[in-house]
Amino acid sequence: MADTGANPNSGNESDEENRKVKKLKGEPKGDRGENGEETNLSDFKPTSVLRDSARDKTIFVHGELKEQPAVVVLEKTPFGEDTLTEMFKGAKTNLEVKNDIYSTYVFQPPAHLNEIKATVVCPATEAHVQKYQRKEIIMVEETEDDYKNITLPYITSKGLSVTWVYNILEKKAEKERIIFEDSDKELGFVLLPDFKWDQKQVDDLYLIAIVHKRDIKSLRDLTPDHVQLLQNIYQKGTDAIVQRYGLPTNKLRVYVLYQPSYYHFHVHFNALSYEVPGSGVERAHLLQDIIQNLKSNPQYYKTRTLLFPMRTDDELISMYKAAGRL
């Protein structure tokens, strides 16, 4: 849910932040936030670039918005096939290089077809700034004892809020964004778009299934008692995607992240053609594999050593070092 812009391998970034942001597209129009105040990015005063990525076409900027510290993530939106004709007809082009059959141009589409997605975190704390800065990442080997003695106490002591998740489940927030729900309290879940997806095309489809059960923090809590829940998420989640978006199950990537970005169990659904940051083998566990593992070994996720990437400045890394595990 679902981490736009944060490096998915950067630790425990919170999707709560993504749901507090104000998302502005195209030319600034102003957007009314939860406090009723109008937000306009023309008021943003950049002070430093925290990180940029030429590959992902994103830049992370620190600055001030209406005298409050803020982080703005700018991301080029994907091309829409249905607007290509209009784009080429209305574009301005300037030739840069021509050599035999090859030419390079500066291509300027019409403004309304040249959108940039802006994700705003405001007010941003120092923790937000640190989160978005480029940092060294290392792999952590977490044994059963490590989880019990280091990771779980960390989760418990931090008291990481998932109130925003409960607000979704209780329809206090984002009700209109839910595309499917199974309301069963044991087997049910809600399915809604991740904020990283602009919902303009299925090529980069990204949805999150959030379970109604509130006693599953992560992969580590799963037992054979949860197999029916996981199967239900997979079957009904993929069915809903087929019916609404026409994307068949064999073109979907369905997985769970460890460590997760927030500690309420949720499942990611992506278009297989979309190379989602953070969905690599070092962090993602396919849902079908999880089901099979639990069927073959009831204690699989209780006892297995799990590896995951983590930023070297993360507090959890400090706890592993203090315990002599790094």
Side-chain angles (χ1 to χ4, degrees):
M1 156 100 214
D3 120 122
T4 291
N7 185 332
N9 295 336
S10 65
N12 300 326
E13 70 274 21
S14 173
D15 279 346
E16 178 180 13
E17 295 155 12
N18 282 337
R19 284 170 166 78
K20 287 182 178 178
V21 300
K22 302 170 182 66
K23 299 165 70 63
L24 308 176
K25 297 183 179 180
E27 297 179 0
K29 298 178 183 178
D31 179 44
R32 294 193 179 276
E34 295 176 1
N35 59 6
E37 295 182 359
E38 188 172 285
T39 298
N40 193 315
L41 284 185
S42 63
D43 298 323
F44 180 68
K45 299 176 181 178
T47 57
S48 63
V49 173
L50 301 176
R51 185 169 90 240
D52 62 3
S53 171
R55 186 196 69 177
D56 297 327
K57 305 296 188 295
T58 57
I59 188 169
F60 303 74
V61 187
H62 185 218
E64 287 189 355
L65 184 59
K66 292 187 175 180
E67 300 183 349
Q68 294 191 92
V71 173
V72 175
V73 183
L74 300 178
E75 178 183 3
K76 290 289 290 182
T77 56
F79 294 106
E81 292 184 17
D82 57 338
T83 61
L84 287 177
T85 299
E86 182 183 1
M87 180 183 295
F88 279 102
K89 282 186 176 180
K92 296 179 180 179
T93 57
N94 294 306
L95 179 65
E96 287 192 324
V97 178
K98 182 172 178 60
N99 185 348
D100 192 28
I101 64 173
Y102 302 101
S103 304
T104 301
Y105 294 84
V106 174
F107 185 86
Q108 296 177 304
H112 68 286
L113 298 177
N114 193 25
E115 293 184 341
I116 294 176
K117 181 169 66 177
T119 300
V120 183
V121 181
C122 182
T125 66
E126 182 60 28
H128 293 120
V129 174
Q130 291 296 320
K131 162 188 162 180
Y132 288 112
Q133 283 182 326
R134 188 182 303 278
K135 298 290 183 179
E136 183 182 5
I137 298 170
I138 62 174
M139 291 297 294
V140 178
E141 291 188 34
E142 179 190 80
T143 66
E144 177 184 8
D145 287 340
D146 289 336
Y147 178 74
K148 292 177 180 177
N149 299 324
I150 305 174
T151 307
L152 184 57
Y154 163 79
I155 297 170
T156 304
S157 66
K158 294 296 289 183
L160 302 171
S161 174
V162 289
T163 300
W164 65 273
V165 174
Y166 299 157
N167 286 342
I168 293 173
L169 296 175
E170 296 168 8
K171 311 299 192 306
K172 294 179 180 178
E174 304 186 44
K175 179 180 179 180
E176 70 285 351
R177 299 185 70 248
I178 296 173
I179 68 162
F180 175 83
E181 179 178 17
D182 181 335
S183 59
D184 188 280
K185 296 304 179 184
E186 293 297 316
L187 302 179
F189 62 97
V190 297
L191 185 67
L192 70 166
D194 187 281
F195 273 125
K196 290 186 280 294
W197 183 36
D198 63 13
Q199 302 182 61
K200 291 188 175 182
Q201 59 284 309
V202 298
D203 291 345
D204 58 341
L205 177 142
Y206 197 152
L207 296 138
I208 300 290
I210 304 175
V211 301
H212 281 296
K213 285 178 68 65
R214 301 189 179 189
D215 58 351
I216 311 174
K217 292 183 289 297
S218 73
L219 199 62
R220 284 289 191 188
D221 292 325
L222 295 178
T223 72
D225 292 337
H226 299 120
V227 166
Q228 191 175 355
L229 166 65
L230 302 178
Q231 291 174 326
N232 191 53
I233 293 172
Y234 185 85
Q235 187 61 54
K236 292 184 178 178
T238 54
D239 285 349
I241 291 171
V242 170
Q243 292 174 16
R244 187 178 181 98
Y245 303 108
L247 198 63
T249 302
N250 63 3
K251 292 187 177 181
L252 290 172
R253 180 190 299 110
V254 187
Y255 60 96
V256 175
L257 295 179
Y258 192 78
Q259 297 283 331
S261 55
Y262 52 96
Y263 290 95
H264 179 102
F265 190 72
H266 56 285
V267 177
H268 301 250
F269 290 77
N270 305 151
L272 190 59
S273 58
Y274 179 34
E275 296 182 8
V276 184
S279 63
V281 296
E282 70 276 12
R283 193 175 178 211
H285 301 254
L286 294 175
L287 186 59
Q288 291 293 73
D289 286 345
I290 294 172
I291 293 170
Q292 291 299 319
N293 290 337
L294 289 171
K295 285 181 176 180
S296 62
N297 180 359
Q299 296 297 311
Y300 190 91
Y301 292 104
K302 298 288 187 184
T303 60
R304 180 178 172 81
T305 294
L306 296 178
L307 284 80
F308 56 85
M310 186 69 66
R311 284 171 44 148
T312 54
D313 63 336
D314 194 283
E315 185 178 346
L316 185 56
I317 291 293
S318 298
M319 296 177 67
Y320 269 79
K321 288 180 178 178
R325 290 290 292 123
L326 289 175

